């Protein structure tokens, strides 16, 4: 919260960055314990950059985009304690030539600035930065020193046992909290805590790639694993011989997180993987997935069909569930009843009935499907077609007036026909029920802050079968690396898509028992664009790199 929020909002209005309608809307949608300005930022009525820049201008300070700084001066950080940095929301960033530059969140909090002057070894020059960037840097540089007072934003479940923690446990609690906070700030999708022979390794999966971020003595592993099991509330601390699963509910600021915890015993100790599901970051617009205009128009037409099956295929982690959720979100209207059957239910969707599979009590995909068909839905989403019974119910539903969405694990779209046949579905039923099959992969998006024009190498041009003529007018781009993208050159991910529509000619091919290579060849002749071809379009448009496309796609056979 800012020291004089009301005055700051007036400044934003005077700068034409806010209007009364937005303020009124944010007031009505404000969450508990959330300030009005926090609600305005959360709803994207005004950006953090706008707030910081307005504060800087009003205070006569320079605005510094900390995410674009390649690094922070370690000598500067050492001039302040973790407690002071967290309490006053400041971070020293430069200490050179007798000059100490300190980034602050709120220049209007004069008492805090005076206090900072007293704790620093020299008179500082204050600059203004965004709140999230400064708080992220504080966690990054002081995560092992943060006091329990700085843990107030952690959710109740994650705080379980905090009040009873004695002095011996407190460092482990702080370490776990710092790890979760850092992973959230880095927008990681997974945290991997791995026992090695002589150490404990911590890695984050960011934009699909694993990054080693920490190494600790192996002696800490047992305490950290125990702490995470306690936080889950359902995992046994005493049991170390069998795999266990649990969930941790946590909140960082306005973000509600759901962490899926999995422990597996290894020869060196228990390995922990936590999947981070950030409910506040889920973007359900089809236009955010990476479709070009022509493909999005195709999907828009498909999801508004009255019946049939639409399949999304790809390996684990290729974004299939997000695509299905986006499709359901686009057609979620008051006059339609939508029911999903999932294992697990990853995100709660407003206005949609979601059913959790629980095989231990007999609530299988097939059992849930039989039950929900008596609920008279218009649209059904099945998390995955795994067996003949589930496939048969899905096909019968599609042939009796329901639109069915589901996923399969296949490498490309035409292979889904063979996969369904392998589990026992008759070819004529596949041809009759399936309307479209879409294969997808995720590639890393070029960082918008450090992306710059570049050229493809001869090797890349040969690998993608590109000619000089095709490169004419293209926007080949690559990221050089900055703080915003953690020096990777990439930030965020987009999809590559292969859309295989089942028209009358394709139905005849399926009924004629054509092999997958023959089916794929004919589909391409009929206009299907492969994953690699869609990737090439995105390379030429400057949205990703040739190396990313080659990493996730195989060369297309003719």
């Amino acid at each position: 919260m800012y020291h004089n929020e009301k005055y700051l909002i007036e400044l934003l209005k005077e700068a034409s960055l806010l209007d009364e309608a937005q303020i009124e809307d944010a007031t009505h949608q404000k969450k508990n314990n959330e300030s009005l300005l926090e609600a305005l930022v959360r709803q994207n009525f005004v950006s953090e950059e706008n707030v910081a820049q307005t504060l800087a201008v009003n205070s006569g300070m320079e605005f510094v985009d900390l995410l674009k700084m390649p690094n922070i001066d370690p000598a500067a950080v050492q001039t302040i304690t973790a407690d002071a940095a967290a309490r006053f929301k400041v971070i020293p960033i430069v200490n050179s030539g007798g000059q100490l530059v300190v980034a602050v969140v709120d220049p209007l909090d004069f008492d805090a600035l005076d206090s900072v002057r007293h704790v620093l070894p020299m008179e500082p020059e204050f600059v203004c930065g965004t709140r999230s960037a400064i708080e992220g840097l504080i966690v990054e540089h002081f995560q092992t020193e943060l006091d329990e007072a700085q843990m107030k934003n952690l959710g109740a479940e994650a705080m379980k046992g905090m009040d009873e923690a004695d002095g011996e446990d407190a460092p482990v609690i702080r370490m776990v909290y710092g790890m979760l906070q850092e992973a959230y700030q880095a927008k990681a999708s997974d945290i991997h805590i791995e026992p090695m022979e002589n150490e404990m390794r911590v890695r984050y999966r960011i934009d699909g790639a694993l990054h080693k971020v920490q190494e600790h003595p192996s002696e800490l592993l047992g305490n950290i694993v125990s702490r995470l099991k306690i936080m889950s509330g359902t995992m046994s601390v005493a049991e170390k011989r069998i795999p266990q699963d649990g969930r941790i509910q946590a909140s960082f600021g306005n973000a509600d997180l759901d962490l899926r915890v999995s422990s597996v015993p290894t020869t060196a100790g228990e390995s922990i993987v936590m999947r981070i599901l950030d409910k506040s970051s889920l973007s359900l617009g089809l236009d955010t997935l990476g479709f070009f205009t022509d493909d999005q128009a195709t999907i828009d037409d498909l999801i508004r069909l009255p019946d049939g099956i639409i399949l999304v295929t790809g390996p684990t982690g290729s974004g299939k569930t997000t695509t299905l959720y986006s499709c359901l979100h686009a057609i979620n209207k008051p006059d339609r009843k939508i029911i999903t059957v999932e294992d697990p239910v990853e995100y709660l969707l407003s206005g949609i009935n979601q059913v959790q599979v629980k095989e231990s009590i007999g609530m299988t995909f097939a059992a849930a499907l039989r039950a929900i068909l008596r609920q008279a839905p218009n649209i059904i989403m099945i998390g995955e077609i795994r067996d003949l019974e589930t496939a048969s119910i899905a096909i019968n539903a599609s042939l009796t007036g329901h639109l069915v969405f589901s996923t399969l694990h296949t490498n490309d779209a035409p292979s889904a026909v063979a996969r369904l046949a392998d589990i026992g579905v008759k070819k004529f039923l596949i041809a009759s029920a399936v309307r479209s099959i879409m294969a997808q992969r995720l590639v890393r998006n070029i960082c918008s802050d450090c992306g710059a024009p570049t050229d493809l190498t001869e090797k890349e041009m040969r690998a993608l079968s590109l000619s000089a003529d095709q490169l004419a007018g293209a926007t080949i781009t690559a990221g050089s690396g900055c703080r915003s993208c953690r020096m990777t050159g990439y930030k965020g991910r987009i999809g590559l898509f292969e859309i295989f529509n089942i028209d009358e000619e394709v139905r005849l091919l399926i009924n004629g028992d054509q092999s997958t290579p023959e089916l794929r060849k004919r589909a391409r002749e009929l206009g299907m664009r492969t994953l690699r071809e869609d990737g090439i379009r995105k390379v030429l448009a400057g949205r990703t790199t040739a190396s990313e496309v080659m990493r996730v796609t195989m060369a297309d056979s003719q």
Side-chain angles (χ1 to χ4, degrees), residues 307-309 394-402 404 428-429 432-435:
D307 54 37
I309 296 178
I395 286 174
N396 288 334
S398 72
L399 294 176
T400 54
H402 302 84
V404 180
F428 76 90
L429 289 174
S432 300
V434 179
R435 297 289 181 265

Side-chain angles (χ1 to χ4, degrees), residues 11-19 22 45-46 50-51 54:
L11 291 177
L12 293 167
K13 285 170 58 180
E14 290 176 11
S16 299
L17 296 170
L18 281 177
D19 58 42
Q22 293 170 326
F45 290 143
V46 65
N50 291 151
V51 173
T54 301

Side-chain angles (χ1 to χ4, degrees), residues 285-297 299 323 326-327 438 440 494-499 534 537-538 543:
L286 284 170
D287 57 342
T288 67
L289 301 181
F291 289 111
F292 277 123
T293 305
D294 53 351
D295 284 343
Q296 185 164 337
I299 295 299
T323 297
S326 297
C327 290
M438 183 174 72
Q440 73 174 64
I494 57 172
L496 305 184
F497 305 99
E498 177 178 283
I499 303 174
D534 191 43
R537 289 206 302 169
K538 284 161 185 170
R543 302 186 68 179

Side-chain angles (χ1 to χ4, degrees), residues 13 74 86 105 113 120 137 182 212 214 231 236 242 257 269 283-284 319 332 360 399 449 456 478 492 537 557:
K13 285 170 58 180
V105 171
L113 298 190
L120 292 174
L137 287 170
E182 184 182 42
K212 185 172 75 172
Q214 298 170 20
M231 289 166 65
S236 170
I242 60 174
L257 302 185
S283 179
L284 293 177
N332 184 16
S360 61
L399 294 176
D449 292 320
L456 293 179
R537 289 206 302 169
S557 58

